[in-house]
Amino acid sequence: MRKLVYTGFMSLDGVVDSPGGGPGEEHRSGGWVFKDLEFVEEAWSLKGEELADTTALMFGRRSYEAFAPVWPGSEDHADYRDLPKYVVSSTLSEDALTDGWGPTTILRSTEDVAVLKEGEGGAVHIHGSADLARRLSDPGLIDQYNLLMFPVLLGAGKSLFGRADRDKQMLALRESDTYSNGIVKLVYDVRR
C-alpha cells in the first residue's frame, strides 16, 4: 500500500492559500511565505528530507497548471523532474499535460486515488493543492501531513481542512522543530 503525504506551508490561522504569490495566486496576501520573515536555511530542511521519501507527486488541476510551466525548468525542483506525476481532475485533458516532466497520469476521482494507494510503490506527496487535500482528507485518504507553520495570521484564504461534520481524526506527532524566525515544522501521521 502506498502512503499519501500532504506537504505544505500554513499560516497560524490555517491558511494555505498563495504562499508564493505570483500568477494564479492573487490572494491579497500572496507571497506571505517570503515576505516579512528572516530567511533561516534550516527551516527549509523539511523540503530536502521529503525528497528522499518521495516516489511520485500529486496535484490538483489548478496547482498542476501553476507548477507545470515553471518546475520542469527550475533548478530548485530538478530532483522532481523525472518523478511520476498524478493530477486529480475531472476536467483536465491529456493534451494539456506538460511534456518532459516525467510520466503524468490523470486521476478522475477520489476513488481513483484510493485505487492508486492500494497499489505497490512508495510515498506520493501532494504539493500545494489545498482543494485536493480537503477532498482527500475527508474520506481519510491522507496518511501524513508535513507542515511548515508560519508565524502570520492572514484572516482569509483557503484552509487545508474542510469544515464538514465528520468523525474525529487523531494525529500522532512524528517530528517537530522550531526555528529562530518563528517557523515551526510539524510532521503528523494520521492514526488509523
mmCIF file of all heavy atoms in Angstrom, residues 94-147:
data_model
loop_
_atom_site.group_PDB
_atom_site.id
_atom_site.type_symbol
_atom_site.label_atom_id
_atom_site.label_comp_id
_atom_site.label_asym_id
_atom_site.label_seq_id
_atom_site.Cartn_x
_atom_site.Cartn_y
_atom_site.Cartn_z
ATOM 1 N N GLU A 94 -5.799 15.224 -21.637
ATOM 2 C CA GLU A 94 -4.469 14.624 -21.838
ATOM 3 C C GLU A 94 -3.550 15.564 -22.624
ATOM 4 O O GLU A 94 -2.355 15.632 -22.348
ATOM 5 C CB GLU A 94 -4.581 13.284 -22.575
ATOM 6 C CG GLU A 94 -5.264 12.188 -21.797
ATOM 7 C CD GLU A 94 -4.396 11.598 -20.697
ATOM 8 O OE1 GLU A 94 -3.158 11.688 -20.785
ATOM 9 O OE2 GLU A 94 -4.980 11.038 -19.746
ATOM 10 N N ASP A 95 -4.096 16.295 -23.585
ATOM 11 C CA ASP A 95 -3.249 17.187 -24.393
ATOM 12 C C ASP A 95 -2.804 18.432 -23.626
ATOM 13 O O ASP A 95 -1.960 19.184 -24.104
ATOM 14 C CB ASP A 95 -3.927 17.560 -25.707
ATOM 15 C CG ASP A 95 -5.216 18.350 -25.541
ATOM 16 O OD1 ASP A 95 -5.827 18.277 -24.455
ATOM 17 O OD2 ASP A 95 -5.620 19.032 -26.502
ATOM 18 N N ALA A 96 -3.317 18.653 -22.418
ATOM 19 C CA ALA A 96 -2.894 19.788 -21.583
ATOM 20 C C ALA A 96 -1.708 19.435 -20.691
ATOM 21 O O ALA A 96 -1.187 20.302 -19.992
ATOM 22 C CB ALA A 96 -4.061 20.266 -20.726
ATOM 23 N N LEU A 97 -1.254 18.178 -20.735
ATOM 24 C CA LEU A 97 -0.131 17.762 -19.895
ATOM 25 C C LEU A 97 1.186 18.279 -20.460
ATOM 26 O O LEU A 97 1.360 18.395 -21.671
ATOM 27 C CB LEU A 97 -0.094 16.236 -19.782
ATOM 28 C CG LEU A 97 -1.311 15.604 -19.106
ATOM 29 C CD1 LEU A 97 -1.203 14.077 -19.123
ATOM 30 C CD2 LEU A 97 -1.488 16.119 -17.690
ATOM 31 N N THR A 98 2.123 18.583 -19.569
ATOM 32 C CA THR A 98 3.420 19.128 -19.944
ATOM 33 C C THR A 98 4.375 18.009 -20.335
ATOM 34 O O THR A 98 4.564 17.056 -19.578
ATOM 35 C CB THR A 98 4.014 19.921 -18.766
ATOM 36 O OG1 THR A 98 3.138 21.010 -18.480
ATOM 37 C CG2 THR A 98 5.397 20.447 -19.078
ATOM 38 N N ASP A 99 4.979 18.132 -21.508
ATOM 39 C CA ASP A 99 5.976 17.156 -21.962
ATOM 40 C C ASP A 99 7.297 17.386 -21.237
ATOM 41 O O ASP A 99 7.614 18.512 -20.838
ATOM 42 C CB ASP A 99 6.215 17.291 -23.476
ATOM 43 C CG ASP A 99 5.022 16.833 -24.291
ATOM 44 O OD1 ASP A 99 4.308 15.918 -23.834
ATOM 45 O OD2 ASP A 99 4.797 17.405 -25.375
ATOM 46 N N GLY A 100 8.075 16.336 -21.047
ATOM 47 C CA GLY A 100 9.407 16.449 -20.482
ATOM 48 C C GLY A 100 9.436 16.663 -18.982
ATOM 49 O O GLY A 100 10.425 17.143 -18.435
ATOM 50 N N TRP A 101 8.333 16.291 -18.311
ATOM 51 C CA TRP A 101 8.276 16.462 -16.854
ATOM 52 C C TRP A 101 7.908 15.141 -16.185
ATOM 53 O O TRP A 101 7.146 15.087 -15.251
ATOM 54 C CB TRP A 101 7.284 17.563 -16.497
ATOM 55 C CG TRP A 101 7.449 18.090 -15.104
ATOM 56 C CD1 TRP A 101 8.602 18.167 -14.386
ATOM 57 C CD2 TRP A 101 6.422 18.606 -14.259
ATOM 58 N NE1 TRP A 101 8.365 18.700 -13.142
ATOM 59 C CE2 TRP A 101 7.027 18.990 -13.042
ATOM 60 C CE3 TRP A 101 5.055 18.794 -14.403
ATOM 61 C CZ2 TRP A 101 6.315 19.533 -11.981
ATOM 62 C CZ3 TRP A 101 4.350 19.343 -13.350
ATOM 63 C CH2 TRP A 101 4.979 19.710 -12.152
ATOM 64 N N GLY A 102 8.447 14.074 -16.707
ATOM 65 C CA GLY A 102 8.178 12.753 -16.157
ATOM 66 C C GLY A 102 6.809 12.250 -16.581
ATOM 67 O O GLY A 102 5.987 13.000 -17.095
ATOM 68 N N PRO A 103 6.575 10.965 -16.367
ATOM 69 C CA PRO A 103 5.279 10.401 -16.743
ATOM 70 C C PRO A 103 4.154 11.004 -15.891
ATOM 71 O O PRO A 103 4.295 11.133 -14.682
ATOM 72 C CB PRO A 103 5.440 8.908 -16.463
ATOM 73 C CG PRO A 103 6.581 8.799 -15.505
ATOM 74 C CD PRO A 103 7.462 9.984 -15.753
ATOM 75 N N THR A 104 3.059 11.389 -16.545
ATOM 76 C CA THR A 104 1.947 12.025 -15.844
ATOM 77 C C THR A 104 0.655 11.277 -16.140
ATOM 78 O O THR A 104 0.348 10.993 -17.301
ATOM 79 C CB THR A 104 1.801 13.501 -16.266
ATOM 80 O OG1 THR A 104 3.049 14.174 -16.027
ATOM 81 C CG2 THR A 104 0.705 14.190 -15.484
ATOM 82 N N THR A 105 -0.084 10.977 -15.085
ATOM 83 C CA THR A 105 -1.355 10.263 -15.182
ATOM 84 C C THR A 105 -2.448 11.132 -14.594
ATOM 85 O O THR A 105 -2.279 11.705 -13.519
ATOM 86 C CB THR A 105 -1.288 8.935 -14.387
ATOM 87 O OG1 THR A 105 -0.190 8.154 -14.871
ATOM 88 C CG2 THR A 105 -2.578 8.153 -14.498
ATOM 89 N N ILE A 106 -3.560 11.219 -15.286
ATOM 90 C CA ILE A 106 -4.714 11.948 -14.765
ATOM 91 C C ILE A 106 -5.613 10.960 -14.029
ATOM 92 O O ILE A 106 -5.985 9.917 -14.574
ATOM 93 C CB ILE A 106 -5.500 12.637 -15.889
ATOM 94 C CG1 ILE A 106 -4.602 13.649 -16.622
ATOM 95 C CG2 ILE A 106 -6.746 13.326 -15.330
ATOM 96 C CD1 ILE A 106 -5.234 14.258 -17.864
ATOM 97 N N LEU A 107 -5.924 11.285 -12.784
ATOM 98 C CA LEU A 107 -6.880 10.513 -11.992
ATOM 99 C C LEU A 107 -8.168 11.319 -11.960
ATOM 100 O O LEU A 107 -8.151 12.513 -11.648
ATOM 101 C CB LEU A 107 -6.351 10.280 -10.575
ATOM 102 C CG LEU A 107 -4.977 9.594 -10.480
ATOM 103 C CD1 LEU A 107 -4.516 9.524 -9.036
ATOM 104 C CD2 LEU A 107 -5.029 8.208 -11.102
ATOM 105 N N ARG A 108 -9.291 10.707 -12.258
ATOM 106 C CA ARG A 108 -10.542 11.440 -12.440
ATOM 107 C C ARG A 108 -11.394 11.567 -11.176
ATOM 108 O O ARG A 108 -12.364 12.311 -11.173
ATOM 109 C CB ARG A 108 -11.375 10.775 -13.540
ATOM 110 C CG ARG A 108 -10.702 10.813 -14.907
ATOM 111 C CD ARG A 108 -10.592 12.219 -15.417
ATOM 112 N NE ARG A 108 -9.953 12.269 -16.740
ATOM 113 C CZ ARG A 108 -9.520 13.362 -17.297
ATOM 114 N NH1 ARG A 108 -9.628 14.519 -16.675
ATOM 115 N NH2 ARG A 108 -8.959 13.329 -18.473
ATOM 116 N N SER A 109 -11.020 10.864 -10.083
ATOM 117 C CA SER A 109 -11.877 10.900 -8.894
ATOM 118 C C SER A 109 -11.087 10.509 -7.644
ATOM 119 O O SER A 109 -9.975 9.982 -7.736
ATOM 120 C CB SER A 109 -13.042 9.923 -9.070
ATOM 121 O OG SER A 109 -12.542 8.587 -9.108
ATOM 122 N N THR A 110 -11.687 10.745 -6.478
ATOM 123 C CA THR A 110 -11.066 10.286 -5.234
ATOM 124 C C THR A 110 -11.012 8.763 -5.202
ATOM 125 O O THR A 110 -10.113 8.193 -4.594
ATOM 126 C CB THR A 110 -11.814 10.819 -3.992
ATOM 127 O OG1 THR A 110 -13.185 10.473 -4.092
ATOM 128 C CG2 THR A 110 -11.662 12.313 -3.851
ATOM 129 N N GLU A 111 -11.942 8.112 -5.866
ATOM 130 C CA GLU A 111 -11.913 6.651 -5.948
ATOM 131 C C GLU A 111 -10.662 6.187 -6.695
ATOM 132 O O GLU A 111 -10.048 5.185 -6.328
ATOM 133 C CB GLU A 111 -13.177 6.109 -6.628
ATOM 134 C CG GLU A 111 -14.443 6.269 -5.816
ATOM 135 C CD GLU A 111 -15.031 7.692 -5.867
ATOM 136 O OE1 GLU A 111 -14.659 8.491 -6.769
ATOM 137 O OE2 GLU A 111 -15.848 8.002 -4.977
ATOM 138 N N ASP A 112 -10.274 6.921 -7.742
ATOM 139 C CA ASP A 112 -9.039 6.591 -8.470
ATOM 140 C C ASP A 112 -7.821 6.763 -7.568
ATOM 141 O O ASP A 112 -6.859 5.988 -7.651
ATOM 142 C CB ASP A 112 -8.878 7.480 -9.706
ATOM 143 C CG ASP A 112 -9.879 7.164 -10.806
ATOM 144 O OD1 ASP A 112 -10.532 6.096 -10.749
ATOM 145 O OD2 ASP A 112 -10.021 8.000 -11.724
ATOM 146 N N VAL A 113 -7.849 7.767 -6.692
ATOM 147 C CA VAL A 113 -6.749 7.973 -5.741
ATOM 148 C C VAL A 113 -6.689 6.795 -4.769
ATOM 149 O O VAL A 113 -5.616 6.281 -4.464
ATOM 150 C CB VAL A 113 -6.899 9.311 -4.988
ATOM 151 C CG1 VAL A 113 -5.825 9.442 -3.909
ATOM 152 C CG2 VAL A 113 -6.836 10.486 -5.954
ATOM 153 N N ALA A 114 -7.836 6.340 -4.291
ATOM 154 C CA ALA A 114 -7.883 5.191 -3.375
ATOM 155 C C ALA A 114 -7.306 3.944 -4.037
ATOM 156 O O ALA A 114 -6.561 3.189 -3.405
ATOM 157 C CB ALA A 114 -9.321 4.943 -2.906
ATOM 158 N N VAL A 115 -7.604 3.742 -5.310
ATOM 159 C CA VAL A 115 -7.060 2.596 -6.048
ATOM 160 C C VAL A 115 -5.537 2.727 -6.171
ATOM 161 O O VAL A 115 -4.805 1.755 -5.966
ATOM 162 C CB VAL A 115 -7.723 2.471 -7.435
ATOM 163 C CG1 VAL A 115 -6.992 1.458 -8.302
ATOM 164 C CG2 VAL A 115 -9.194 2.086 -7.283
ATOM 165 N N LEU A 116 -5.046 3.927 -6.482
ATOM 166 C CA LEU A 116 -3.603 4.164 -6.566
ATOM 167 C C LEU A 116 -2.930 3.812 -5.241
ATOM 168 O O LEU A 116 -1.884 3.161 -5.212
ATOM 169 C CB LEU A 116 -3.320 5.623 -6.928
ATOM 170 C CG LEU A 116 -1.847 6.054 -6.890
ATOM 171 C CD1 LEU A 116 -1.076 5.411 -8.026
ATOM 172 C CD2 LEU A 116 -1.729 7.569 -6.935
ATOM 173 N N LYS A 117 -3.522 4.226 -4.133
ATOM 174 C CA LYS A 117 -2.945 3.956 -2.809
ATOM 175 C C LYS A 117 -2.854 2.460 -2.527
ATOM 176 O O LYS A 117 -1.957 2.019 -1.813
ATOM 177 C CB LYS A 117 -3.795 4.611 -1.710
ATOM 178 C CG LYS A 117 -3.555 6.081 -1.568
ATOM 179 C CD LYS A 117 -4.226 6.615 -0.331
ATOM 180 C CE LYS A 117 -3.714 5.880 0.865
ATOM 181 N NZ LYS A 117 -4.101 6.314 2.142
ATOM 182 N N GLU A 118 -3.768 1.688 -3.050
ATOM 183 C CA GLU A 118 -3.770 0.238 -2.816
ATOM 184 C C GLU A 118 -2.664 -0.465 -3.587
ATOM 185 O O GLU A 118 -2.335 -1.612 -3.296
ATOM 186 C CB GLU A 118 -5.130 -0.364 -3.188
ATOM 187 C CG GLU A 118 -6.254 0.080 -2.292
ATOM 188 C CD GLU A 118 -6.065 -0.344 -0.840
ATOM 189 O OE1 GLU A 118 -5.555 -1.449 -0.587
ATOM 190 O OE2 GLU A 118 -6.419 0.453 0.050
ATOM 191 N N GLY A 119 -2.064 0.203 -4.556
ATOM 192 C CA GLY A 119 -1.035 -0.399 -5.391
ATOM 193 C C GLY A 119 0.334 -0.425 -4.724
ATOM 194 O O GLY A 119 0.513 -0.001 -3.581
ATOM 195 N N GLU A 120 1.285 -0.923 -5.454
ATOM 196 C CA GLU A 120 2.666 -1.007 -4.997
ATOM 197 C C GLU A 120 3.386 0.302 -5.258
ATOM 198 O O GLU A 120 3.070 1.019 -6.195
ATOM 199 C CB GLU A 120 3.390 -2.136 -5.738
ATOM 200 C CG GLU A 120 2.824 -3.514 -5.471
ATOM 201 C CD GLU A 120 2.998 -3.948 -4.028
ATOM 202 O OE1 GLU A 120 4.076 -3.713 -3.461
ATOM 203 O OE2 GLU A 120 2.038 -4.497 -3.454
ATOM 204 N N GLY A 121 4.392 0.575 -4.444
ATOM 205 C CA GLY A 121 5.208 1.763 -4.644
ATOM 206 C C GLY A 121 5.356 2.542 -3.358
ATOM 207 O O GLY A 121 4.736 2.233 -2.340
ATOM 208 N N GLY A 122 6.158 3.571 -3.430
ATOM 209 C CA GLY A 122 6.458 4.376 -2.255
ATOM 210 C C GLY A 122 5.510 5.543 -2.088
ATOM 211 O O GLY A 122 4.428 5.596 -2.682
ATOM 212 N N ALA A 123 5.960 6.497 -1.301
ATOM 213 C CA ALA A 123 5.128 7.645 -0.914
ATOM 214 C C ALA A 123 4.843 8.571 -2.091
ATOM 215 O O ALA A 123 5.709 8.855 -2.914
ATOM 216 C CB ALA A 123 5.814 8.428 0.202
ATOM 217 N N VAL A 124 3.609 9.053 -2.126
ATOM 218 C CA VAL A 124 3.163 10.046 -3.089
ATOM 219 C C VAL A 124 2.930 11.334 -2.305
ATOM 220 O O VAL A 124 2.179 11.349 -1.327
ATOM 221 C CB VAL A 124 1.853 9.618 -3.789
ATOM 222 C CG1 VAL A 124 1.400 10.688 -4.773
ATOM 223 C CG2 VAL A 124 2.028 8.270 -4.479
ATOM 224 N N HIS A 125 3.596 12.411 -2.708
ATOM 225 C CA HIS A 125 3.499 13.684 -1.995
ATOM 226 C C HIS A 125 2.633 14.663 -2.766
ATOM 227 O O HIS A 125 2.815 14.852 -3.969
ATOM 228 C CB HIS A 125 4.892 14.281 -1.782
ATOM 229 C CG HIS A 125 5.656 13.618 -0.692
ATOM 230 N ND1 HIS A 125 6.048 14.269 0.445
ATOM 231 C CD2 HIS A 125 6.088 12.341 -0.558
ATOM 232 C CE1 HIS A 125 6.688 13.429 1.243
ATOM 233 N NE2 HIS A 125 6.729 12.254 0.652
ATOM 234 N N ILE A 126 1.706 15.295 -2.038
ATOM 235 C CA ILE A 126 0.845 16.330 -2.599
ATOM 236 C C ILE A 126 1.469 17.678 -2.257
ATOM 237 O O ILE A 126 1.687 17.981 -1.088
ATOM 238 C CB ILE A 126 -0.569 16.275 -1.990
ATOM 239 C CG1 ILE A 126 -1.201 14.914 -2.228
ATOM 240 C CG2 ILE A 126 -1.437 17.389 -2.567
ATOM 241 C CD1 ILE A 126 -2.473 14.696 -1.427
ATOM 242 N N HIS A 127 1.766 18.474 -3.267
ATOM 243 C CA HIS A 127 2.318 19.819 -3.070
ATOM 244 C C HIS A 127 1.249 20.840 -3.441
ATOM 245 O O HIS A 127 0.631 20.736 -4.499
ATOM 246 C CB HIS A 127 3.555 20.028 -3.942
ATOM 247 C CG HIS A 127 4.743 19.263 -3.483
ATOM 248 N ND1 HIS A 127 5.714 19.813 -2.693
ATOM 249 C CD2 HIS A 127 5.109 17.974 -3.682
ATOM 250 C CE1 HIS A 127 6.638 18.913 -2.431
ATOM 251 N NE2 HIS A 127 6.291 17.787 -3.020
ATOM 252 N N GLY A 128 1.066 21.849 -2.589
ATOM 253 C CA GLY A 128 0.027 22.843 -2.861
ATOM 254 C C GLY A 128 -1.330 22.163 -2.804
ATOM 255 O O GLY A 128 -1.597 21.351 -1.923
ATOM 256 N N SER A 129 -2.186 22.476 -3.760
ATOM 257 C CA SER A 129 -3.427 21.728 -3.971
ATOM 258 C C SER A 129 -4.313 21.638 -2.734
ATOM 259 O O SER A 129 -4.746 20.567 -2.325
ATOM 260 C CB SER A 129 -3.105 20.325 -4.499
ATOM 261 O OG SER A 129 -2.275 20.380 -5.624
ATOM 262 N N ALA A 130 -4.628 22.783 -2.138
ATOM 263 C CA ALA A 130 -5.455 22.808 -0.920
ATOM 264 C C ALA A 130 -6.826 22.186 -1.143
ATOM 265 O O ALA A 130 -7.315 21.434 -0.290
ATOM 266 C CB ALA A 130 -5.601 24.242 -0.414
ATOM 267 N N ASP A 131 -7.456 22.478 -2.268
ATOM 268 C CA ASP A 131 -8.776 21.896 -2.535
ATOM 269 C C ASP A 131 -8.688 20.377 -2.608
ATOM 270 O O ASP A 131 -9.528 19.665 -2.060
ATOM 271 C CB ASP A 131 -9.368 22.453 -3.832
ATOM 272 C CG ASP A 131 -9.715 23.932 -3.748
ATOM 273 O OD1 ASP A 131 -9.955 24.431 -2.623
ATOM 274 O OD2 ASP A 131 -9.755 24.597 -4.806
ATOM 275 N N LEU A 132 -7.675 19.880 -3.288
ATOM 276 C CA LEU A 132 -7.480 18.435 -3.387
ATOM 277 C C LEU A 132 -7.226 17.826 -2.012
ATOM 278 O O LEU A 132 -7.796 16.784 -1.669
ATOM 279 C CB LEU A 132 -6.314 18.115 -4.328
ATOM 280 C CG LEU A 132 -5.918 16.642 -4.420
ATOM 281 C CD1 LEU A 132 -7.065 15.802 -4.958
ATOM 282 C CD2 LEU A 132 -4.665 16.478 -5.272
ATOM 283 N N ALA A 133 -6.394 18.474 -1.215
ATOM 284 C CA ALA A 133 -6.097 17.949 0.126
ATOM 285 C C ALA A 133 -7.364 17.833 0.956
ATOM 286 O O ALA A 133 -7.567 16.828 1.657
ATOM 287 C CB ALA A 133 -5.074 18.836 0.830
ATOM 288 N N ARG A 134 -8.237 18.832 0.877
ATOM 289 C CA ARG A 134 -9.504 18.760 1.617
ATOM 290 C C ARG A 134 -10.356 17.607 1.113
ATOM 291 O O ARG A 134 -10.952 16.870 1.897
ATOM 292 C CB ARG A 134 -10.277 20.078 1.491
ATOM 293 C CG ARG A 134 -9.840 21.134 2.474
ATOM 294 C CD ARG A 134 -10.826 22.297 2.539
ATOM 295 N NE ARG A 134 -11.132 22.890 1.252
ATOM 296 C CZ ARG A 134 -10.349 23.765 0.623
ATOM 297 N NH1 ARG A 134 -9.202 24.140 1.158
ATOM 298 N NH2 ARG A 134 -10.701 24.265 -0.535
ATOM 299 N N ARG A 135 -10.432 17.442 -0.206
ATOM 300 C CA ARG A 135 -11.242 16.348 -0.778
ATOM 301 C C ARG A 135 -10.708 14.982 -0.368
ATOM 302 O O ARG A 135 -11.474 14.040 -0.194
ATOM 303 C CB ARG A 135 -11.272 16.454 -2.304
ATOM 304 C CG ARG A 135 -12.208 17.501 -2.810
ATOM 305 C CD ARG A 135 -12.549 17.406 -4.289
ATOM 306 N NE ARG A 135 -11.816 16.509 -5.120
ATOM 307 C CZ ARG A 135 -11.014 16.878 -6.126
ATOM 308 N NH1 ARG A 135 -10.821 18.157 -6.387
ATOM 309 N NH2 ARG A 135 -10.413 15.983 -6.861
ATOM 310 N N LEU A 136 -9.393 14.861 -0.226
ATOM 311 C CA LEU A 136 -8.802 13.564 0.130
ATOM 312 C C LEU A 136 -8.768 13.341 1.636
ATOM 313 O O LEU A 136 -8.755 12.194 2.098
ATOM 314 C CB LEU A 136 -7.393 13.460 -0.454
ATOM 315 C CG LEU A 136 -7.310 13.537 -1.979
ATOM 316 C CD1 LEU A 136 -5.857 13.441 -2.434
ATOM 317 C CD2 LEU A 136 -8.156 12.460 -2.640
ATOM 318 N N SER A 137 -8.743 14.415 2.403
ATOM 319 C CA SER A 137 -8.725 14.297 3.857
ATOM 320 C C SER A 137 -10.056 13.794 4.393
ATOM 321 O O SER A 137 -10.099 12.936 5.281
ATOM 322 C CB SER A 137 -8.378 15.652 4.482
ATOM 323 O OG SER A 137 -8.420 15.573 5.884
ATOM 324 N N ASP A 138 -11.159 14.310 3.861
ATOM 325 C CA ASP A 138 -12.483 13.940 4.370
ATOM 326 C C ASP A 138 -12.741 12.433 4.322
ATOM 327 O O ASP A 138 -13.224 11.872 5.299
ATOM 328 C CB ASP A 138 -13.588 14.722 3.653
ATOM 329 C CG ASP A 138 -13.662 16.177 4.130
ATOM 330 O OD1 ASP A 138 -13.073 16.502 5.186
ATOM 331 O OD2 ASP A 138 -14.309 16.984 3.441
ATOM 332 N N PRO A 139 -12.394 11.729 3.232
ATOM 333 C CA PRO A 139 -12.587 10.268 3.249
ATOM 334 C C PRO A 139 -11.410 9.496 3.864
ATOM 335 O O PRO A 139 -11.359 8.269 3.792
ATOM 336 C CB PRO A 139 -12.759 9.919 1.768
ATOM 337 C CG PRO A 139 -12.004 10.963 1.027
ATOM 338 C CD PRO A 139 -12.128 12.227 1.869
ATOM 339 N N GLY A 140 -10.453 10.211 4.458
ATOM 340 C CA GLY A 140 -9.352 9.546 5.153
ATOM 341 C C GLY A 140 -8.271 8.980 4.251
ATOM 342 O O GLY A 140 -7.627 7.991 4.598
ATOM 343 N N LEU A 141 -8.036 9.602 3.105
ATOM 344 C CA LEU A 141 -7.026 9.083 2.176
ATOM 345 C C LEU A 141 -5.618 9.606 2.452
ATOM 346 O O LEU A 141 -4.647 9.028 1.973
ATOM 347 C CB LEU A 141 -7.426 9.394 0.735
ATOM 348 C CG LEU A 141 -8.675 8.655 0.238
ATOM 349 C CD1 LEU A 141 -9.075 9.155 -1.142
ATOM 350 C CD2 LEU A 141 -8.445 7.155 0.239
ATOM 351 N N ILE A 142 -5.483 10.685 3.209
ATOM 352 C CA ILE A 142 -4.150 11.222 3.517
ATOM 353 C C ILE A 142 -3.603 10.507 4.749
ATOM 354 O O ILE A 142 -4.301 10.343 5.742
ATOM 355 C CB ILE A 142 -4.186 12.745 3.704
ATOM 356 C CG1 ILE A 142 -4.595 13.405 2.380
ATOM 357 C CG2 ILE A 142 -2.828 13.272 4.184
ATOM 358 C CD1 ILE A 142 -4.662 14.904 2.416
ATOM 359 N N ASP A 143 -2.346 10.079 4.660
ATOM 360 C CA ASP A 143 -1.711 9.305 5.730
ATOM 361 C C ASP A 143 -0.773 10.132 6.595
ATOM 362 O O ASP A 143 -0.473 9.743 7.728
ATOM 363 C CB ASP A 143 -0.903 8.142 5.116
ATOM 364 C CG ASP A 143 -1.778 7.238 4.281
ATOM 365 O OD1 ASP A 143 -2.672 6.594 4.853
ATOM 366 O OD2 ASP A 143 -1.587 7.205 3.047
ATOM 367 N N GLN A 144 -0.264 11.234 6.050
ATOM 368 C CA GLN A 144 0.729 12.026 6.781
ATOM 369 C C GLN A 144 0.635 13.479 6.331
ATOM 370 O O GLN A 144 0.369 13.761 5.158
ATOM 371 C CB GLN A 144 2.127 11.477 6.484
ATOM 372 C CG GLN A 144 3.253 12.161 7.196
ATOM 373 C CD GLN A 144 4.589 11.484 6.899
ATOM 374 O OE1 GLN A 144 4.687 10.266 6.828
ATOM 375 N NE2 GLN A 144 5.615 12.276 6.703
ATOM 376 N N TYR A 145 0.862 14.392 7.287
ATOM 377 C CA TYR A 145 0.905 15.824 6.994
ATOM 378 C C TYR A 145 2.291 16.339 7.353
ATOM 379 O O TYR A 145 2.733 16.185 8.491
ATOM 380 C CB TYR A 145 -0.143 16.592 7.817
ATOM 381 C CG TYR A 145 -1.556 16.279 7.415
ATOM 382 C CD1 TYR A 145 -2.285 15.298 8.084
ATOM 383 C CD2 TYR A 145 -2.162 16.955 6.367
ATOM 384 C CE1 TYR A 145 -3.587 14.996 7.718
ATOM 385 C CE2 TYR A 145 -3.460 16.669 5.983
ATOM 386 C CZ TYR A 145 -4.162 15.683 6.669
ATOM 387 O OH TYR A 145 -5.453 15.402 6.296
ATOM 388 N N ASN A 146 2.986 16.928 6.377
ATOM 389 C CA ASN A 146 4.276 17.589 6.592
ATOM 390 C C ASN A 146 4.019 19.086 6.451
ATOM 391 O O ASN A 146 3.794 19.578 5.350
ATOM 392 C CB ASN A 146 5.301 17.167 5.546
ATOM 393 C CG ASN A 146 5.711 15.718 5.671
ATOM 394 O OD1 ASN A 146 5.297 15.010 6.574
ATOM 395 N ND2 ASN A 146 6.535 15.267 4.743
ATOM 396 N N LEU A 147 4.034 19.791 7.568
ATOM 397 C CA LEU A 147 3.657 21.202 7.546
ATOM 398 C C LEU A 147 4.772 22.091 8.066
ATOM 399 O O LEU A 147 5.446 21.749 9.034
ATOM 400 C CB LEU A 147 2.416 21.419 8.425
ATOM 401 C CG LEU A 147 1.185 20.592 8.068
ATOM 402 C CD1 LEU A 147 0.109 20.772 9.134
ATOM 403 C CD2 LEU A 147 0.668 20.975 6.694
#
